[in-house]
Amino acid sequence: MKFRTLSIAGAVEVTPQQHGDPRGLFAEWYRFDLLAAEIGHPLRLAQGNLSVSARGVVRGIHYADVPPGQAKYVTCTRGALLDVVVDLRVGSPTFGQWDAVRLDDVDRRAVYIGEGLGHGFCALTDDATLTYLCSETYNPQAEHTVHPLDPDLAIQWPVEAPTLSARDAAAPTLQEARDRGALPDLATCEQHTQSLRRQ
């Protein structure tokens, strides 16, 4: 496995080594020990999700209250998508910035997204399938969204007319979410990460 830290602290791209022959291929797309060594603490596995999207669908930007937050480890098991990480941590030097990784069923990369970061993606193919592991179970009262087309974020989605869910289309902008006190702050996120390292 190869690890590459993204431009936003707490987000890591993971590229597995693939072993192929005429029968097919094999790849380790997640390794507990190697990821823990990279991020400094184990990733607690509490829930696994599967999301299938038509071409042009944009989902996100989603995040959860910290603590406990919800770290994610995502990969694309069918088709292709653009996976986007947004720094929503108030006080972070990269607050409001984003980075992106193409995930597909060819290179089979994965992305680790730490607590306090926002996550979204755009399906580049029909039936684009995102498989992801989560550190916490779904808690609708603690989960939120920021509008993916917020001009202040200026995410370069690779589609002219994205298809959004009603929830995402009605989401607040980054500034509105900040004004409401709905965003995580960097100090709280760092304290939470330190608590994970002590466990």
Side-chain angles (χ1 to χ4, degrees), residues 106-125:
V106 177
D107 294 323
R108 302 185 188 280
R109 291 186 182 93
V111 175
Y112 168 78
I113 302 138
E115 292 88 348
L117 301 179
H119 176 246
F121 64 89
C122 177
L124 304 176
T125 61

Side-chain angles (χ1 to χ4, degrees), residues 130-195:
L130 186 74
T131 301
Y132 54 110
L133 307 174
C134 302
S135 65
E136 297 290 335
T137 57
Y138 177 65
N139 178 0
Q141 286 75 37
E143 302 209 9
H144 313 284
T145 183
V146 169
H147 203 294
L149 307 183
D150 179 355
D152 287 339
L153 289 177
I155 298 172
Q156 297 174 14
W157 298 110
V159 59
E160 289 185 9
T163 302
L164 306 180
S165 70
R167 176 185 178 220
D168 291 343
T173 65
L174 182 67
Q175 187 61 53
E176 289 169 342
R178 183 176 187 175
D179 291 345
R180 296 175 189 173
L183 297 177
D185 68 88
L186 181 64
T188 301
C189 292
E190 289 178 338
Q191 289 170 4
H192 180 66
T193 299
Q194 289 299 322
S195 72

Side-chain angles (χ1 to χ4, degrees), residues 74 81-85 99-103 111 113 119-121 130:
V74 304
L81 54 88
L82 184 72
D83 200 73
V84 174
V85 181
D99 204 346
V101 175
R102 179 188 168 96
L103 301 181
V111 175
I113 302 138
H119 176 246
F121 64 89
L130 186 74

Side-chain angles (χ1 to χ4, degrees), residues 60-80:
I61 302 297
H62 300 154
Y63 67 100
D65 291 337
V66 181
Q70 188 185 60
K72 297 174 182 176
Y73 189 88
V74 304
T75 192
C76 181
T77 51
R78 181 178 182 181

